[in-house]
Amino acid sequence: MIKTMTIAATAMLVSAHYAGASSDAAWNALFAKVNGTCIGQSGMDTPEATAPVVFDDATGKVAVLLRGSMGKGKSKVKNVNLICLYDKKTGKASIEEYRWLGR
């Protein structure tokens, strides 16, 4: 009986560790890091950003779509759409412009 209770308690403690890794606080911290990195590298002053799209662990990426203006004065380009892919392992982001259906 004591052996069974010990095994059950150990299993609960181990599973609690994994539950903490996916807590709301952990997700919010990841999303804040992704948004900060992507917005910082975008070169946009005040872009609109979508909610992060989290890919599976095999991919290890989080995507954010950004929309806004780039440049200053006469060289300012409005309505720029960027996609940012954030690598969870390295903490690096790749940003590219995209056009919706050729527009």
Side-chain angles (χ1 to χ4, degrees):
M1 177 81 161
I2 293 176
K3 186 176 180 181
T4 304
M5 290 176 65
T6 304
I7 292 172
T10 303
M12 286 175 43
L13 288 173
V14 170
S15 66
H17 169 72
Y18 291 114
S22 296
S23 69
D24 286 342
W27 284 113
N28 289 337
L30 173 64
F31 294 160
K33 194 174 197 180
V34 170
N35 281 339
T37 302
C38 289
I39 290 171
Q41 288 186 14
S42 72
M44 296 178 164
D45 293 328
T46 54
E48 293 179 75
T50 64
V53 178
V54 181
F55 290 88
D56 64 19
D57 287 340
T59 305
K61 306 278 190 226
V62 179
V64 175
L65 299 177
L66 303 168
R67 178 174 53 193
S69 302
M70 294 179 73
K72 296 186 186 235
K74 291 182 180 181
S75 64
K76 189 169 195 168
V77 178
K78 294 185 178 185
N79 301 323
V80 176
N81 296 306
L82 302 176
I83 185 169
C84 175
L85 283 179
Y86 178 88
D87 188 304
K88 293 190 288 186
K89 281 187 179 178
T90 65
K92 294 182 180 180
S94 298
I95 298 177
E96 290 295 328
E97 185 175 1
Y98 74 93
R99 295 174 191 232
W100 185 253
L101 300 176
R103 288 188 246 164

